[in-house]
Amino acid sequence: MLTPRAEDFPRWYQDLIAKAKLADNGPVRGTMVIRPVGYAIWERMQADMDARIKQAGVQNAYFPLFIPESYLRREADHVEGFSPELAVVTHAGGKELSEPLVVRPTSETVIGEFMAKWVDSYRDLPLLLNQWANVVRWELRPRTFLRTTEFLWQEGHTAHASEADAREHARDVHRNVYEAFMTDFLAIPVVPGRKTRKERFAGATNTMTVEAMMGDTKALQMGTSHELGQNFAKAFDISYSSAAGGVEHAWTTSWGTSTRMLGGLIMVHGDDNGLRLPPVMAPVQVQVMVVKAGDGVAEAATQLFQDLKTAGVRVKLDDRSDVPFGRRAVDAELQGIPIRIEVGPRDLATGNVTIARRVDGSKTPTAIGDVVGAVTSALKADQQRLYDEALAFRAANTVEVKTLGDAIEAAQTGWARVPWSAVGEDGEAEANGKAVTVRCLVRADGSMPDSGDEDGLVAILARSY
Amino acid sequence: MLTPRAEDFPRWYQDLIAKAKLADNGPVRGTMVIRPVGYAIWERMQADMDARIKQAGVQNAYFPLFIPESYLRREADHVEGFSPELAVVTHAGGKELSEPLVVRPTSETVIGEFMAKWVDSYRDLPLLLNQWANVVRWELRPRTFLRTTEFLWQEGHTAHASEADAREHARDVHRNVYEAFMTDFLAIPVVPGRKTRKERFAGATNTMTVEAMMGDTKALQMGTSHELGQNFAKAFDISYSSAAGGVEHAWTTSWGTSTRMLGGLIMVHGDDNGLRLPPVMAPVQVQVMVVKAGDGVAEAATQLFQDLKTAGVRVKLDDRSDVPFGRRAVDAELQGIPIRIEVGPRDLATGNVTIARRVDGSKTPTAIGDVVGAVTSALKADQQRLYDEALAFRAANTVEVKTLGDAIEAAQTGWARVPWSAVGEDGEAEANGKAVTVRCLVRADGSMPDSGDEDGLVAILARSY
């Protein structure tokens, strides 16, 4: 039904999105429609990440979509980084505007403007804000979820009294919000690391990333956190009177994740039959299915549905016996529902139903009285199994090499770990010429480097989305 | 501190929004920044309404921000209704676009396009979709929350196999989502009714509204639901093969509510000391305050905070004893927190704390052991009290009259109920000339009219926002 992954990975990806009804292309090039099946996944992601963001002491707010063009010009690197991607409103209310308005590609500038208004004394710091919003970046080579002209995201923006406090906050979010969310909720192993100077966000002094290996061994940047130094604070005059009585510029950070994570979820966990959703995050964990009508089948299915609901499982009853069972089962597989419970007359005659697990394709006849217990433990085991599979895949496709040449070669079919000292900025440019990028720099022990100049850093080289 | 309501209601409204830190004006005329205090209220509204929408069988999805200009032209009334309000993107990616893009003022057209793709047979109907999104309508006379160039809203869009089914759905949402939400959650009494032909949504065959009386006796439209007949289905070719084998056009509806409801909440429940939040919806229901440091004060406050949290109350601990108590109490009043528990050394010496209720300003010394019970019943009583007060105010400011002249006069200081037969479309134009509008038509028994031509309809005339 789907193009096999091994045959044509990009086509498999687009097939899956279409057939599982996750998204459609929008009418304007590069835009997308997120359909109910896809949006339900995004809502689950949003809710879980939002709770983690609030747990980190951050408050949500909402800033305007339209940004005066002049705002972007105030921070030189920022305007240079975004110019080619901007969508511009020139007419509104039936007239030409005196100043064109940029549709936000990100909100650093407008939030900077308001932080300057709201911050007065050191008592107002840290100021920790987050926004869930749509942003627009004109894409020349769009791909659903991964690179779209409009996407949904959260963007955190914070202001601090010191560089150390800003750095600690950015790292806290990076580890305890992003890395934890991706590991525990999405069941995706990620490598947290530091971007090279070349890969940094426009206007940042440091960009941290979480990188994941997709099913074709390419890398996907799943989220980034930036230390912005005093660049934006100076451009927007975010200053405060310190406890000592002087006037100082604040230190700011920003951090973001987007609907791009949906693309990562598909490319990490999907297989030739469709999506496989980690049970913890699946909008529907269990689909109870009437195989075909028969003595007591509908009643037994309804009872199981109720029992599972009572046990706190997110369960859906599928009693559409006018639609062929095979088609319904294929749809449930495409959409990645972790468990199907198939209730049919023959099994039922012996007091059984069949538990079908999406992750490994197993089908197990199970006594009705054992279903709730079996489902609960299967959901737990399958969450772990998806994570373990992805981790094993990454390990099997990562090699340690010593030279730039070996790294570029290895990066054609996986990830290469190579001493950063063997690459450097010239080597990075050479790799880029061969469609390989330095995904991030990590310390040998896996911890986050404080600088790109530390001794002993390891660079991860890969092709990427 | 605030301009008194009786002195200058519009200024009181803007003062309250600024001093309670609910919102700021954005950099582009007519836009707003929703600050954390205001956004927390919106999040509570969103969560509750979203649950009601899902309960009605509707699924969330997301459609693009940018709509090709040509889409709006397909439905003649629709383009005429929205043209003067549109913001238009003419440049993107560094180039002039071949077709200008409209920033969505509403998504009927783009959703129509996709419904046409997704609907094939009668089995695909009804198709019930909702979207939470930002929309843009250029405003010449903006006012925070009430009329802003960009606002946040939900827009439901549904397609049905018959006019009767479309009508029933629209009424179900209007009653069981909108009216119930406003009554039970916002504690705002609303009048559901039918808009006149003149006040209908662009492209609709029927618009239903829920109208509320603000504290200055003006009316605010809190939400609307539209039957769109087959107008959009024909313009976008949303057709289906029927059970009988023919090909038919679908019948569509749409319905929306927005951040405008925040303005209504302020203007219905606010008083000279600030906002008063209905306890059911308040992000923070109880603020436990350390009045000043002293023997066991911090410990007692922390214990009460924990006890209330355990009892399921949304509670916040305010132990900032370096900020004057008076200022903190004023801020809590401004923000409308339903209950403050003041913990001070003097009361504590006798085993008491003070429960201060925002709704009536009462302060009651309460034994520590009785606090949880007293708070729980006060929250319940104050929700009801806010509703009852608003209902009594509306009743006191509504008159029954017989003629258009009396209705226009009465509408200067309240609402006038007058037979629609005494007004008619000519009378409506006359009233409009005096800044009075027909808010809606209702049946004498309060139920929703099936048509504007029914005998015995009552028109409600008022000034409005």
Side-chain angles (χ1 to χ4, degrees):
Chain A
M1 193 161 180
L2 300 179
T3 306
R5 285 204 328 164
E7 186 182 312
D8 184 341
F9 194 84
R11 199 164 146 201
W12 163 83
Y13 176 75
Q14 296 293 0
D15 274 6
L16 190 158
I17 289 170
K19 295 211 166 122
K21 299 185 180 176
L22 299 174
D24 254 356
N25 291 325
V28 174
R29 186 176 154 74
T31 64
M32 64 178 163
V33 173
I34 309 179
R35 301 184 66 173
V37 174
Y39 199 79
I41 297 172
W42 176 242
E43 280 184 317
R44 290 276 308 153
M45 287 186 180
Q46 263 196 307
D48 186 82
M49 189 180 287
D50 192 66
R52 293 176 200 259
I53 289 171
K54 287 183 169 128
Q55 189 62 38
V58 180
Q59 294 182 297
N60 285 339
Y62 187 78
F63 293 84
L65 174 70
F66 294 149
I67 300 179
E69 210 175 35
S70 58
Y71 277 34
L72 272 93
R73 284 198 217 103
R74 289 198 218 160
E75 213 289 331
D77 289 336
H78 202 63
V79 65
E80 200 184 316
F82 281 108
S83 288
E85 296 179 317
L86 301 178
V88 184
V89 173
T90 55
H91 291 71
K95 288 188 196 161
E96 182 162 4
L97 297 168
S98 57
E99 182 181 4
L101 304 176
V102 166
V103 182
R104 62 179 165 221
T106 172
S107 303
E108 262 79 15
T109 59
V110 63
I111 295 182
E113 175 82 1
F114 282 87
M115 283 181 161
K117 282 184 71 169
W118 298 337
V119 171
D120 193 33
S121 118
Y122 69 94
R123 287 190 196 84
D124 300 322
L125 297 174
L127 179 58
L128 311 178
L129 300 173
N130 178 62
Q131 159 168 284
W132 290 94
N134 55 343
V135 286
V136 169
R137 299 179 188 175
W138 213 254
E139 280 293 348
L140 298 179
R141 287 187 301 274
R143 193 175 295 192
T144 312
F145 295 130
L146 300 175
R147 276 191 313 274
T148 49
T149 289
E150 180 190 4
F151 55 92
L152 304 183
W153 80 341
Q154 61 67 219
E155 47 179 324
H157 297 273
T158 70
H160 305 261
S162 72
E163 183 174 23
D165 191 53
R167 174 166 295 179
E168 194 186 331
H169 171 79
R171 288 178 179 220
D172 175 44
V173 165
H174 204 68
R175 187 171 45 240
N176 297 316
V177 178
Y178 289 167
E179 189 183 344
F181 168 79
M182 290 165 198
T183 304
D184 302 342
F185 198 70
L186 303 185
I188 295 179
V190 289
V191 173
R194 183 184 175 98
K195 287 286 184 190
T196 61
R197 182 184 303 267
K198 181 175 175 302
E199 298 285 338
R200 251 181 224 160
F201 178 69
T205 58
N206 176 29
T207 291
M208 294 176 287
T209 180
V210 267
E211 299 281 327
M213 183 183 280
M214 303 296 104
D216 61 353
T217 75
K218 285 190 188 174
L220 181 71
Q221 175 180 302
M222 297 281 287
T224 49
S225 310
H226 317 290
E227 292 177 65
L228 304 168
Q230 294 179 306
N231 293 342
F232 283 86
K234 284 178 177 163
F236 288 88
D237 197 21
I238 310 171
S239 57
Y240 69 96
S241 51
S242 70
V247 174
E248 311 269 1
H249 279 113
W251 299 77
T252 67
T253 83
S254 70
W255 30 276
T257 56
S258 73
T259 36
R260 156 174 269 223
M261 290 187 291
L262 270 160
L265 190 75
I266 296 166
M267 291 197 293
V268 169
H269 296 312
D271 68 15
D272 283 349
N273 296 322
L275 187 53
R276 298 188 302 170
L277 286 173
V280 169
M281 66 89 57
V284 175
Q285 297 176 303
V286 175
Q287 182 159 319
V288 178
M289 306 178 74
V290 170
V291 175
K292 62 177 187 176
D295 265 359
V297 170
E299 294 74 6
T302 304
Q303 187 61 50
L304 280 171
F305 166 77
Q306 289 297 351
D307 292 349
L308 287 162
K309 203 170 172 180
T310 305
V313 174
R314 291 186 295 281
V315 58
K316 182 174 151 184
L317 177 64
D318 175 12
D319 54 4
R320 297 169 296 157
S321 45
D322 56 334
V323 180
F325 171 73
R327 194 175 124 195
R328 289 182 283 137
V330 164
D331 282 347
E333 292 215 308
L334 275 168
Q335 295 178 4
I337 295 171
I339 291 179
R340 301 189 307 279
I341 299 179
E342 305 174 353
V343 186
R346 204 180 325 174
D347 277 355
L348 205 58
T350 61
N352 285 326
V353 297
T354 297
I355 294 183
R357 289 162 77 167
R358 178 65 184 87
V359 168
D360 63 2
S362 66
K363 292 193 165 205
T364 312
T366 306
I368 285 186
D370 298 339
V371 167
V372 172
V375 162
T376 311
S377 50
L379 290 173
K380 206 167 163 186
D382 291 349
Q383 178 81 17
Q384 187 63 44
R385 177 159 176 163
L386 281 173
Y387 181 83
D388 292 345
E389 273 187 19
L391 190 64
F393 181 79
R394 188 180 80 190
N397 290 284
T398 300
V399 294
E400 302 269 351
V401 296
K402 294 268 189 283
T403 68
L404 175 65
D406 286 353
I408 293 175
E409 199 193 319
Q412 302 308 317
T413 56
W415 287 12
R417 289 170 52 92
V418 57
W420 175 227
S421 60
V423 182
E425 298 196 352
D426 290 344
E428 184 176 13
E430 191 182 329
N432 292 173
K434 291 170 181 160
V436 169
T437 47
V438 179
R439 304 313 305 157
C440 60
L441 306 177
V442 297
R443 285 185 181 147
D445 67 359
S447 65
M448 182 66 69
D450 281 328
S451 135
D453 299 329
E454 284 181 16
D455 285 342
L457 292 184
V458 174
I460 295 175
L461 272 64
R463 293 154 306 140
S464 71
Y465 285 95
Chain B
M1 191 161 181
L2 300 180
T3 305
R5 283 200 335 161
E7 186 183 311
D8 185 342
F9 193 85
R11 201 166 144 197
W12 163 82
Y13 177 75
Q14 296 292 358
D15 275 7
L16 190 156
I17 288 170
K19 295 209 164 124
K21 300 186 180 176
L22 298 174
D24 255 356
N25 291 325
V28 174
R29 187 176 153 75
T31 64
M32 63 177 164
V33 173
I34 309 179
R35 301 184 67 173
V37 175
Y39 199 79
I41 297 173
W42 176 242
E43 280 185 316
R44 290 275 309 151
M45 288 184 179
Q46 262 196 307
D48 187 83
M49 190 179 286
D50 192 65
R52 291 176 201 260
I53 288 170
K54 287 183 170 130
Q55 189 63 37
V58 180
Q59 294 182 297
N60 286 339
Y62 188 78
F63 292 83
L65 174 70
F66 294 148
I67 300 179
E69 209 175 36
S70 58
Y71 277 34
L72 272 93
R73 286 198 215 103
R74 289 199 220 160
E75 212 289 329
D77 290 336
H78 202 63
V79 65
E80 199 184 317
F82 281 107
S83 289
E85 296 179 317
L86 301 178
V88 185
V89 173
T90 56
H91 291 72
K95 289 189 195 160
E96 181 162 5
L97 297 168
S98 58
E99 182 180 4
L101 303 176
V102 166
V103 182
R104 64 181 162 216
T106 173
S107 304
E108 262 78 14
T109 60
V110 63
I111 294 181
E113 175 82 2
F114 282 89
M115 283 182 162
K117 281 184 71 170
W118 299 336
V119 171
D120 192 33
S121 116
Y122 68 95
R123 288 191 195 84
D124 301 321
L125 297 175
L127 179 57
L128 311 177
L129 300 173
N130 179 62
Q131 159 168 285
W132 290 94
N134 55 343
V135 287
V136 169
R137 298 178 189 176
W138 213 254
E139 279 293 345
L140 298 178
R141 288 187 301 276
R143 191 174 297 192
T144 314
F145 295 130
L146 300 175
R147 276 193 313 275
T148 49
T149 289
E150 180 190 3
F151 55 91
L152 304 183
W153 79 341
Q154 61 67 218
E155 47 180 323
H157 296 273
T158 70
H160 305 261
S162 72
E163 182 174 23
D165 191 54
R167 173 165 297 179
E168 193 185 332
H169 171 80
R171 289 180 177 219
D172 175 45
V173 165
H174 204 68
R175 187 170 45 239
N176 298 317
V177 179
Y178 290 166
E179 189 183 346
F181 168 79
M182 291 166 197
T183 305
D184 302 343
F185 198 71
L186 303 185
I188 295 180
V190 289
V191 173
R194 183 185 176 97
K195 287 286 185 191
T196 62
R197 181 184 305 268
K198 181 177 174 302
E199 298 285 339
R200 249 179 227 158
F201 177 69
T205 57
N206 176 29
T207 291
M208 293 176 286
T209 180
V210 268
E211 299 282 326
M213 183 183 280
M214 303 295 105
D216 60 355
T217 76
K218 284 190 188 174
L220 181 71
Q221 175 180 302
M222 297 281 287
T224 49
S225 310
H226 317 290
E227 292 177 65
L228 303 169
Q230 293 179 306
N231 294 342
F232 283 86
K234 284 177 178 163
F236 289 88
D237 198 22
I238 310 171
S239 57
Y240 68 95
S241 51
S242 70
V247 174
E248 311 269 358
H249 280 112
W251 299 78
T252 67
T253 85
S254 70
W255 30 276
T257 55
S258 73
T259 36
R260 155 172 269 223
M261 290 188 292
L262 270 160
L265 190 75
I266 296 166
M267 292 198 292
V268 169
H269 297 312
D271 67 16
D272 283 350
N273 296 321
L275 187 53
R276 298 187 303 169
L277 286 173
V280 169
M281 67 88 59
V284 175
Q285 297 176 303
V286 176
Q287 182 159 320
V288 177
M289 306 178 75
V290 170
V291 175
K292 61 176 187 179
D295 264 0
V297 170
E299 293 75 6
T302 304
Q303 187 60 51
L304 280 170
F305 166 77
Q306 288 297 350
D307 292 349
L308 286 162
K309 204 170 170 181
T310 304
V313 173
R314 291 186 295 281
V315 58
K316 182 175 151 182
L317 178 63
D318 174 12
D319 55 4
R320 297 169 297 159
S321 45
D322 57 333
V323 180
F325 171 72
R327 194 176 125 195
R328 290 183 283 137
V330 164
D331 282 346
E333 291 215 308
L334 276 168
Q335 295 178 5
I337 295 171
I339 290 178
R340 302 190 305 281
I341 299 179
E342 304 174 354
V343 186
R346 204 179 327 174
D347 276 356
L348 204 59
T350 62
N352 285 326
V353 296
T354 297
I355 294 184
R357 289 162 77 166
R358 178 66 185 85
V359 167
D360 63 3
S362 66
K363 291 193 166 206
T364 312
T366 307
I368 285 187
D370 298 341
V371 167
V372 172
V375 162
T376 311
S377 50
L379 290 173
K380 205 167 163 183
D382 290 350
Q383 177 81 16
Q384 187 62 44
R385 177 158 176 167
L386 282 173
Y387 181 84
D388 292 345
E389 272 187 19
L391 190 64
F393 181 81
R394 188 179 80 190
N397 290 284
T398 300
V399 295
E400 301 269 351
V401 297
K402 292 270 190 286
T403 68
L404 175 65
D406 285 353
I408 293 175
E409 198 192 318
Q412 302 308 315
T413 56
W415 286 12
R417 289 170 53 93
V418 57
W420 175 229
S421 60
V423 182
E425 298 196 351
D426 290 345
E428 183 177 15
E430 191 183 329
N432 291 173
K434 291 168 180 161
V436 168
T437 48
V438 179
R439 303 314 304 157
C440 60
L441 306 176
V442 297
R443 283 186 182 149
D445 67 359
S447 66
M448 182 64 70
D450 281 329
S451 133
D453 299 327
E454 284 181 16
D455 285 341
L457 292 183
V458 174
I460 295 174
L461 271 66
R463 294 154 306 141
S464 71
Y465 284 94

